[in-house]
Amino acid sequence: MKKVLVYGLGLTGISAVKTLSLMGFEVFTYDANKEIVEELKDYTYSPISKDRAMSDSFEFVVKSPGIKPKDPLLIKLAEKNEIISDIELSYRLFPEKNIISITGTNGKTTTTSMITHILNESGIEAVAVGNIGQGILWQMYNKNCVFVEEISSFQLHDTVEYDTHIAAILNITEDHTDWHGSFDDYVNSKLKITQNQKATDFLIINHEDKILQAHKKDFRAQVYEFSTKNIVEKGMYLDGKDIIFTKNGKKIKVLSSDDLMIVGNHNIENAMVALLVCKLYGLDQESIVTHAKSFKAISHRLEYVKTIKEVDFYNDSKATNVDSALKAIASFDKNIILIAGGYNKNVDYRPLVEAFKEKSKAMILIGQTENTLAQLCEEMSIAYYIADDMDKAVKKAFEIMERGDTVLLSPASASWGVYKSYAQRGQDFIDKINKYELESL
């Protein structure tokens, strides 16, 4: 029986323990914060100490995506064990599964969700996995369908054999340098999605992304591109409001961007990728178009909340980095009251504040990054308020808002340290909106 170690008992770790134990592995676990997990009470595994983890040898160690490469225990484990991620393990255990892979700094969840929606509505069973939904291993153990994988740089970092027939890299901008140690490591991790692709595979990339264009000659798969700014030779581009598919000099209108139920230029890009993926998968255009039109925005990503006294409220809690928040700001014309800030990932917030200045009414700041953002607001003469928490932030928004304004939660920062997830932060925003709406009646 092969001995394996699961390092970290979060969502991916629990999924790994369940799957590996039922597939006949001798499973050991280590988590500094917990030994026994209620969800695993019916599965066979052995929690071990840190010392035992370092002294024993294992067939491999599957680690939680949140554990950084410089983690001291991980470095020690790597001296005599192979370290892999859950997506790498999923490929090794289930190489016959039908997968579609999506990565990028921003837009992954919307794109993954839209592809899954179109496939399911077209009669092809599909499930979103990876960095979204339930653990990938447990899903693959129990289901035989199309797995649309949203894959983070954390997961790709520890891949070796992982391969996919259809992959997409939406964009690459600065993010997670605190985890990776450098931007180069972050970029190289993202590009790992292509490392085992062959000439018979497909890769979709952003025509406007300078990093992806610089590596274009290195890709072995058939490359398709998307752009809302320029015509591409093979892929999809925007002509006015029409999304056009082009290949071998032929052009076909797919649909109008006005037909989509998701707002913002970045969401048109996400839709292009979803449309391309489904086309390359083999769906007919009529089915793709029909079901793309019925896809609605996911929760916490430029999610319209409600209108109060002619002021629109939008929840964009999933904007955990600067580039994502920039896309949200670009979706509105003016008079934005922006609630921003959160966990400090040591990135440059200047581009965010510069872009906001053109459309600003005021910035309301929360979290570890509030002082950094406040300094930039002062430098650029932007009105700002510092709030201790979401309650005070939303209260201040109600105090200063006027007819025609837009109140936008787009933090440009992770939620760690205050919230368990961006979803919890977004729900808190919605709850506080409802609270102060009642008080304002």
Side-chain angles (χ1 to χ4, degrees):
M1 186 180 291
K2 295 180 179 179
K3 287 174 54 178
V4 298
L5 175 65
V6 176
Y7 182 12
L9 290 174
L11 186 148
T12 58
I14 290 171
S15 174
V17 172
K18 287 181 177 181
T19 304
L20 289 166
S21 64
L22 291 181
M23 294 186 73
F25 289 84
E26 186 178 8
V27 183
F28 295 88
T29 64
Y30 174 74
D31 190 307
N33 300 311
K34 51 190 167 184
E35 286 191 0
I36 305 300
V37 178
E38 180 65 23
E39 193 176 339
L40 294 175
K41 64 180 181 180
D42 296 326
Y43 299 87
T44 303
Y45 69 104
S46 302
I48 58 176
S49 67
K50 184 177 182 179
D51 289 341
R52 171 101 184 263
M54 288 190 290
S55 62
D56 280 12
S57 294
F58 303 95
E59 184 76 16
F60 56 78
V61 176
V62 55
K63 77 172 189 69
S64 164
I67 299 169
K68 297 179 181 180
K70 291 186 178 180
D71 175 76
L73 175 56
L74 190 67
I75 292 172
K76 189 69 177 177
L77 288 169
E79 291 178 2
K80 57 181 178 180
N81 301 288
E82 184 185 23
I83 310 297
I84 61 175
S85 66
D86 61 329
I87 63 160
E88 172 69 17
L89 181 57
S90 72
Y91 182 76
R92 295 185 186 187
L93 295 179
F94 308 105
E96 77 287 353
K97 297 292 185 179
N98 193 351
I99 62 173
I100 294 167
S101 307
I102 309 297
T103 196
T105 304
N106 296 304
K108 297 185 296 297
T109 301
T110 297
T111 305
T112 301
S113 300
M114 189 172 190
I115 294 166
T116 306
H117 170 82
I118 294 172
L119 289 171
N120 278 311
E121 293 299 310
S122 300
I124 298 171
E125 185 182 0
V127 61
V129 293
N131 202 36
I132 182 176
Q134 300 179 30
I136 187 172
L137 289 161
W138 190 234
Q139 289 277 42
M140 285 192 170
Y141 181 82
N142 286 286
K143 293 183 179 180
N144 186 22
C145 61
V146 179
F147 295 90
V148 188
E149 300 179 355
E150 177 191 322
I151 307 178
S152 71
S153 59
F154 302 169
Q155 293 167 309
L156 283 167
H157 183 273
D158 296 295
T159 56
V160 181
E161 300 172 15
Y162 180 78
D163 190 13
T164 178
H165 180 49
I166 302 176
I169 308 176
L170 308 182
N171 42 59
I172 300 180
T173 58
E174 186 181 12
D175 198 14
H176 298 307
T177 51
D178 59 321
W179 191 96
H180 286 275
S182 70
F183 184 52
D184 283 344
D185 187 75
Y186 175 70
V187 171
N188 291 334
S189 294
K190 287 294 188 187
L191 294 175
K192 272 192 165 187
I193 201 170
T194 72
Q195 67 183 350
N196 295 311
Q197 284 194 299
K198 301 171 289 295
T200 52
D201 297 323
F202 301 110
L203 176 65
I204 300 166
I205 64 171
N206 190 331
H207 182 73
E208 309 306 326
D209 191 288
K210 293 180 180 178
I211 294 172
L212 292 173
Q213 291 302 314
H215 286 85
K216 186 177 175 180
K217 64 182 183 302
D218 302 324
F219 301 139
R220 292 188 295 272
Q222 299 174 49
V223 175
Y224 285 74
E225 298 179 85
F226 64 94
S227 176
T228 57
K229 298 178 180 179
N230 293 289
I231 296 173
V232 301
E233 290 184 7
K234 185 168 67 174
M236 288 190 180
Y237 66 92
L238 195 64
D239 182 7
K241 292 189 175 182
D242 293 337
I243 295 175
I244 307 295
F245 174 76
T246 181
K247 182 181 178 182
N248 298 328
K250 297 180 180 179
K251 300 178 181 180
I252 301 172
K253 176 183 173 181
V254 181
L255 79 167
S256 168
S257 59
D258 284 343
D259 293 332
L260 298 171
M261 297 175 69
I262 46 181
V263 299
N265 198 63
H266 63 290
N267 272 327
I268 296 175
E269 294 177 344
N270 296 336
M272 286 179 176
V273 176
L275 295 168
L276 274 170
V277 165
C278 291
K279 187 174 186 67
L280 294 172
Y281 185 81
L283 290 183
D284 64 89
Q285 181 162 314
E286 182 180 357
S287 182
I288 294 171
V289 171
T290 297
H291 303 306
K293 290 178 179 179
S294 65
F295 177 74
K296 297 179 180 179
I298 62 171
S299 298
H300 312 293
R301 188 65 184 104
L302 265 186
E303 174 190 17
Y304 169 73
V305 180
K306 60 174 56 177
T307 298
I308 301 171
K309 297 181 179 179
E310 298 185 54
V311 174
D312 294 332
F313 287 77
Y314 281 86
N315 168 26
D316 195 41
S317 181
K318 201 175 187 307
T320 58
N321 56 59
V322 170
D323 190 61
S324 187
L326 284 171
K327 288 177 168 62
I329 291 169
S331 301
F332 302 98
D333 292 329
K334 57 183 179 179
N335 297 338
I336 301 173
I337 298 172
L338 178 67
I339 300 176
Y343 177 81
N344 191 356
K345 293 192 282 187
N346 299 315
V347 299
D348 184 10
Y349 288 95
R350 184 173 294 275
L352 172 74
V353 181
E354 287 176 343
F356 180 67
K357 183 175 182 179
E358 299 177 8
K359 302 183 178 186
S360 69
K361 174 162 185 175
M363 195 178 287
I364 303 174
L365 308 174
I366 57 176
Q368 293 178 3
T369 57
E370 62 184 22
N371 290 328
T372 300
L373 288 165
Q375 289 174 8
L376 289 168
C377 285
E378 287 189 6
E379 183 182 322
M380 299 182 203
S381 301
I382 295 172
Y384 73 91
Y385 305 87
I386 292 180
D388 294 332
D389 52 33
M390 189 66 74
D391 185 88
K392 290 184 176 64
V394 175
K395 182 179 181 181
K396 176 56 68 175
F398 270 79
E399 289 173 359
I400 65 174
M401 71 186 194
E402 298 175 300
R403 183 177 64 183
D405 289 347
T406 296
V407 177
L408 170 66
L409 171 67
S410 194
S413 308
S415 59
W416 309 326
V418 177
Y419 299 99
K420 292 180 179 179
S421 66
Y422 70 82
Q424 187 185 56
R425 175 172 60 187
Q427 188 57 52
D428 191 25
F429 175 62
I430 293 170
D431 290 344
K432 297 305 185 290
I433 292 170
N434 293 332
K435 171 186 173 180
Y436 286 106
E437 180 185 20
L438 287 172
E439 291 186 8
S440 67
L441 295 177

